[in-house]
Amino acid sequence: MITSIRVGLALLAVLAAARLTPVAAQTPSPAGAKVYFINPGDGAEVTSPFLVQFGLTGMGIAPAGVEKPNTGHHHLLIDTKLAADQMKEAIPADDTHKHFGGGQTEAMVTLPKGQHTLQLVLADWTHIPHVPPVVSEPITITVR
Ligand SMILES: [Cu+2]
């Protein structure tokens, strides 16, 4: 019985080491950390440009390039999402992946009329999402 537990633990240690190797560049997030939209609410109708406010609990904000435990900076995904593989690498920077590397907690966003999805992702000083990921629920808004 004890032997089988020891073997099990040894196997777990091997698996953990194997798992750590490819994700060594990722930063851990503390338990219970959450990112969410303060504004707009899910289903909101807005006129462009509109204010988006980023909420964060259980972690702090640090600018990009500043390595500090339990911190990160906000990223706004517009009409896109990150695939599982992309959660292990630096978030792209383009019109649909906005970085707030200055440590901003809100932004004026300009979008064409119509329905859009927004999602927040916190990422570390090198723009790589944390483990476990700190990601908001996606929201849908309509620009009138
Ligand atoms: Cu970034």
Side-chain angles (χ1 to χ4, degrees), residues 14-31:
V14 168
L15 288 173
R19 164 131 180 83
L20 281 177
T21 307
V23 296
Q26 286 183 279
T27 303
S29 62

Side-chain angles (χ1 to χ4, degrees), residues 113-130:
K113 288 183 179 178
Q115 208 172 64
H116 300 279
T117 62
L118 303 177
Q119 189 173 27
L120 288 169
V121 182
L122 201 75
D124 71 10
W125 62 294
T126 62
H127 316 280
I128 301 174
H130 295 78

Side-chain angles (χ1 to χ4, degrees), residues 28-77:
S29 62
K34 275 200 176 75
V35 65
Y36 57 94
F37 288 96
I38 298 169
N39 270 304
D42 189 20
E45 295 191 358
V46 300
T47 52
S48 185
F50 57 98
L51 181 65
V52 179
Q53 293 176 295
F54 320 138
L56 178 67
T57 58
M59 288 184 79
I61 297 289
V66 175
E67 185 175 16
K68 203 177 165 201
N70 299 331
T71 68
H73 62 277
H74 287 290
H75 300 80
L76 179 64
L77 308 187

